[in-house]
């Protein structure tokens, strides 16, 4: 009986060793844009190159939007946030070969979370109705998310001196692509990478019309401030 079990075990091991290897599928992300370059990262991973994936639960991007116009005192500054920044990063030893591709689903943006308003020391307090109205105007009138569901970002390093890196960020939104040079602080952690930084952009650079009322007497300023704090884990 023991001999039969041993033979059966050897046969199973032999069959397992002869079984064809299943090819690793594309590194797809939930609800990613149709043109997201998953295959590039899949090929890199198959070559044994270090590929990282953003951990949305440990990442945030914050956009600060400011009131303007002669009646600005009647309005509020706002803090908009994404807790669903997603993307992949190729982190080569040669910094010139590094790359990151990120995207943000715009429909999931939040407006005026209480903790973020406290963190950024915003002095006024919009009502729940104000907050909902601001979010609806932002998504439907300014960003037009039904036509523009994502903002996508491609990052290429311009220098490799850690912990501070100079990065070229190619931002695509509303069918328009613009390039920004951004200073990014990088932390190399065990099995993870941390990225943080800040930059400014103007909505009109992307063909977006900042929301306004009363002929511009109360309006949203064109320029916004963006802060990000992202964590990526190695696959």
């Amino acid at each position: 009986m023991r001999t039969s079990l041993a033979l059966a075990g050897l046969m199973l091991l032999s069959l397992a060793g002869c079984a064809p290897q299943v090819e690793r599928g594309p590194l797809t992300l939930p609800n990613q844009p149709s043109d997201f370059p998953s295959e590039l990262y899949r090929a890199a991973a198959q070559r044994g190159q270090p590929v990282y994936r953003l951990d949305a639960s440990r990442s945030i991007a914050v956009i600060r939007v400011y009131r303007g116009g002669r009646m600005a005192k009647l309005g509020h500054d706002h803090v908009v946030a994404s807790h669903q920044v997603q993307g992949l990063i190729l982190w080569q030893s040669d910094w010139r070969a590094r790359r990151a591709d990120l995207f943000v689903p715009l429909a999931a943006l939040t407006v005026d979370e209480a903790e973020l308003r406290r963190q950024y020391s915003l002095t006024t307090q919009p009502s729940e109705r104000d907050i909902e109205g601001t979010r609806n105007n932002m998504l439907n009138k300014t960003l037009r998310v039904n036509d523009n569901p994502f903002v996508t970002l491609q990052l290429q390093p311009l220098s490799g001196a850690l912990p501070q890196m100079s990065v070229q960020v190619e931002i695509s939104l509303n069918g328009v692509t613009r390039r920004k040079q951004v200073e990014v602080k990088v932390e190399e952690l065990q099995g993870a990478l941390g990225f943080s930084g800040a930059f400014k952009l103007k909505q009109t650079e992307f063909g977006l019309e900042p929301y306004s009322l009363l002929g511009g007497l109360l309006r949203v300023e064109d320029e916004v401030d963006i802060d990000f704090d992202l964590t990526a884990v190695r696959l």
Side-chain angles (χ1 to χ4, degrees):
M1 182 66 175
R2 290 179 180 175
T3 302
S4 299
L5 288 173
L7 287 172
L10 286 172
M11 290 177 65
L12 287 171
L13 288 171
S14 176
L15 288 171
C18 295
Q21 295 295 311
V22 178
E23 187 178 6
R24 186 175 183 177
L27 298 178
T28 55
L29 300 173
N31 304 314
Q32 69 183 32
S34 59
D35 58 351
F36 189 78
S38 296
E39 288 299 322
L40 182 152
Y41 290 93
R42 170 183 173 274
Q46 288 185 328
R47 292 192 296 268
Q49 295 171 329
V51 174
Y52 291 73
R53 175 176 175 170
L54 282 190
D55 182 350
S57 69
R58 297 159 64 188
S59 301
I60 187 171
V62 176
I63 306 104
R64 283 175 285 159
V65 182
Y66 303 104
R67 54 188 163 167
R70 293 174 61 185
M71 298 176 63
K73 288 184 179 180
L74 300 179
H76 305 278
D77 296 334
H78 298 285
V79 58
V80 177
S82 173
H83 299 276
Q84 295 190 25
V85 185
Q86 299 190 61
L88 297 170
I89 299 167
L90 179 59
W91 195 254
Q92 301 275 53
S93 55
D94 180 357
W95 64 266
R96 290 163 295 189
R98 294 170 182 169
R99 168 180 175 145
D101 288 271
L102 316 178
F103 65 91
V104 176
L106 297 177
L109 292 175
T110 68
V111 173
D112 289 328
E113 296 176 48
E115 180 56 36
L116 289 176
R117 288 191 69 83
R118 284 192 292 271
Q119 180 180 329
Y120 286 96
S121 302
L122 299 187
T123 57
T124 63
Q125 181 55 58
S127 67
E128 289 299 320
R129 182 177 179 181
D130 290 336
I131 292 171
E132 186 59 31
T134 298
R135 187 172 186 274
N136 285 334
N137 290 330
M138 177 187 71
L139 295 180
N140 299 315
K141 295 183 179 180
T142 302
L143 295 174
R144 303 188 301 279
V145 294
N146 288 336
D147 299 320
N148 307 298
F150 301 102
V151 56
T152 63
L153 306 96
Q154 184 186 113
L155 290 75
Q156 297 278 2
L158 298 174
S159 71
L162 298 184
Q164 201 75 18
M165 289 186 67
S166 181
V167 175
Q168 177 178 274
V169 184
E170 190 173 274
I171 307 167
S172 297
L173 171 63
N174 191 37
V176 178
T177 299
R178 295 284 183 261
R179 291 181 177 87
K180 301 283 182 183
Q181 185 170 328
V182 179
E183 297 303 311
V184 179
K185 181 180 178 182
V186 182
E187 293 182 274
E188 293 186 290
L189 311 170
Q190 186 171 3
L193 297 169
F195 303 91
S196 58
F199 62 99
K200 299 177 183 288
L201 59 79
K202 291 185 177 180
Q203 299 173 66
T204 52
E205 292 181 277
F206 298 90
L208 302 176
E209 185 67 31
Y211 187 71
S212 66
L213 290 170
L214 305 173
L217 291 176
L218 180 59
R219 66 174 186 267
V220 173
E221 294 283 29
D222 190 8
E223 188 172 74
V224 300
D225 288 322
I226 301 175
D227 305 325
F228 57 90
D229 190 351
L230 312 174
T231 299
V233 294
R234 185 162 181 177
L235 297 176

